[in-house]
Amino acid sequence: MTASAPAAPLLRAQEPTLATVVERARVYIAEYQRQLSGVVAEELYVQSVTLPPWSAKSRTLKSDVLIVRPPGADRYVLFRDVFDVDGKPVRDRQERLTGLFLKPSPSADAQVQHIIAESARFNIGTITRTINVPTLALMVLDPDYQSRFAFTRTIERTPETISNGQSNADPSIPKFSASADVWVLEFKEIASPTVIRTTAGRNIPVRGRLWIEPSTGRVLMTELIAEDPAILGIIDVSYEAEPTSGLLVPIAMRERYVGGGTTIEGYAIYSKLRRFKVGVEEKIQEPKP
């Protein structure tokens, strides 16, 4: 009688390192911004404000949102083209678009700041904010910004706007969840001056989390937290694959801001994705004899 050798244990695929996953995500984001540029989505955006002494106000915006990169600019920015406020059309929309994109600006940076300001002009509440942009957290993986942040892996998987149970956002918006094999990376800003600052120029360091497929670097959810002793802002965004192209696009955003006795909450839902097209009409004349 001969003894049989014990069965060899199944070899588990070796997990990638943190540095490898961050690098895959960086490569993914570099190409992703280019692919997302020119994609237009319709945004339904509901904001609510609680003011002392506990009075409330709300606003519903309908907008077309798209990623643009102004000529000469070193980054992409999101433009929120609001066309409806609380059920009423925006009267100066055409003039605003003409002034924003067709009239020259002194510099690329001035053009970027103009787009950011116009995208936020219908916000409500006493907290001035221009960070309510679904793709903003992706900047931490941009090659121009990545060195400003430190990354670690975390087991905390529930977005901040949901975990504390205080959100008044519509529960019917898409769920913020990811499968167990998705990595959650925590990031923290370590450089100064910070990327986000107050209107008075005060630094506001940011931190947050990224839900990433470790094998591809694709980003499925993001969380951005901007906080200092005077103000707190939280923005969570969930992504889903667009059926036709497979491109991951923002599908829902939740946000909360607290400061100066005021609480602002909001949620946005994105739909009707399409490519932005510019039509050019040319007239061809017969040559003169």
Side-chain angles (χ1 to χ4, degrees), residues 64-71 77-82 93-105 111-112 114-116 118-119 276 278:
D64 284 329
V65 293
L66 68 154
I67 300 291
V68 295
R69 186 171 186 173
V77 293
L78 181 135
F79 173 55
R80 178 176 282 113
D81 175 19
V82 180
R93 184 188 186 197
Q94 190 57 51
E95 292 82 358
R96 182 167 54 94
L97 294 178
T98 300
L100 191 61
F101 291 106
L102 298 184
K103 294 182 180 179
S105 294
Q111 178 79 334
V112 168
H114 195 184
I115 290 172
I116 292 173
E118 284 294 325
S119 298
F276 179 72
V278 178

Side-chain angles (χ1 to χ4, degrees), residues 28 32 116 205 210 225:
Y28 166 76
Y32 178 78
I116 292 173
L210 306 168
I225 301 175

Side-chain angles (χ1 to χ4, degrees), residues 22-32 141 143 146 216:
V22 172
E23 175 62 15
R24 287 172 181 172
R26 184 198 66 78
V27 172
Y28 166 76
I29 290 302
E31 175 63 16
Y32 178 78
L141 294 167
Q146 186 178 336
T216 65

Side-chain angles (χ1 to χ4, degrees), residues 84-141:
D84 185 285
V85 179
D86 292 333
K88 298 179 180 179
V90 175
R91 291 185 178 182
D92 66 340
R93 184 188 186 197
Q94 190 57 51
E95 292 82 358
R96 182 167 54 94
L97 294 178
T98 300
L100 191 61
F101 291 106
L102 298 184
K103 294 182 180 179
S105 294
S107 67
D109 185 64
Q111 178 79 334
V112 168
Q113 296 306 317
H114 195 184
I115 290 172
I116 292 173
E118 284 294 325
S119 298
R121 73 170 184 156
F122 291 104
N123 290 342
I124 59 173
T126 57
I127 300 175
T128 302
R129 60 201 190 279
T130 58
I131 64 172
N132 51 343
V133 173
T135 56
L136 183 61
L138 300 180
M139 71 174 176
V140 305
L141 294 167

